[in-house]
Amino acid sequence: MKKLLIIAIAFTLGGTAFAQEKMDKIDHKMSHKMGMKKDCVMMKDGKMMMMKNGKMMAMDKDMTMHDGTVCMMDGTCKMKDGTTMMMKEGETCDMDGKMSHMKMGKGMKHKM
């Protein structure tokens, strides 16, 4: 009888851990679908800013992305293929080197 009780408790705890892991994956997918970028660099108010873990701060050094793209503090980005471009207001570069344009909502218009 004790063995049966121990097995039941083990299955319950194992199921709880599995459910938590599954919810973490769902939360991660939802944040991406809602357009939240975690880690990226962007041009905002003529200055290069970096978003890290949801917090925005001024860039304090040039950054190399995972694919080899280098984004510099003056807004110049040198892509992995050697082409160079200057970031414009609202443009972002994520940690994979993918460039995009972020819509500036109410929260993004305030100066930091």
Side-chain angles (χ1 to χ4, degrees):
M1 192 67 174
K2 287 182 182 179
K3 289 182 182 178
L4 184 60
L5 183 60
I6 292 171
I7 291 173
I9 291 172
F11 276 116
T12 301
L13 293 175
T16 303
F18 178 74
Q20 181 63 39
E21 182 179 316
K22 199 170 190 177
M23 285 303 294
D24 289 342
K25 287 181 182 178
I26 290 171
D27 287 344
H28 181 70
K29 286 181 182 178
M30 288 294 288
S31 68
H32 281 289
K33 284 185 179 182
M34 293 171 63
M36 293 182 217
K37 287 190 173 232
K38 278 200 169 190
D39 296 340
C40 65
V41 296
M42 68 181 297
M43 179 65 74
K44 181 180 179 308
D45 297 328
K47 298 177 187 170
M48 284 298 286
M49 307 293 282
M50 65 182 204
M51 180 87 73
K52 187 158 179 111
N53 297 324
K55 295 182 180 180
M56 189 176 300
M57 60 194 90
M59 270 181 68
D60 58 353
K61 61 182 178 182
D62 296 347
M63 291 184 63
T64 303
M65 306 308 172
H66 299 255
D67 73 339
T69 298
V70 178
C71 291
M72 291 163 241
M73 292 175 53
D74 67 354
T76 305
C77 289
K78 186 171 183 179
M79 308 304 187
K80 62 182 178 180
D81 65 1
T83 59
T84 303
M85 64 159 289
M86 186 65 148
M87 289 182 72
K88 297 178 184 87
E89 186 69 22
E91 287 185 331
T92 64
C93 181
D94 67 17
M95 296 307 291
D96 294 325
K98 183 179 176 193
M99 302 293 284
S100 61
H101 194 13
M102 181 178 280
K103 291 181 181 178
M104 296 299 211
K106 288 181 183 177
M108 300 298 286
K109 288 184 180 177
H110 297 275
K111 290 198 176 206
M112 303 205 97

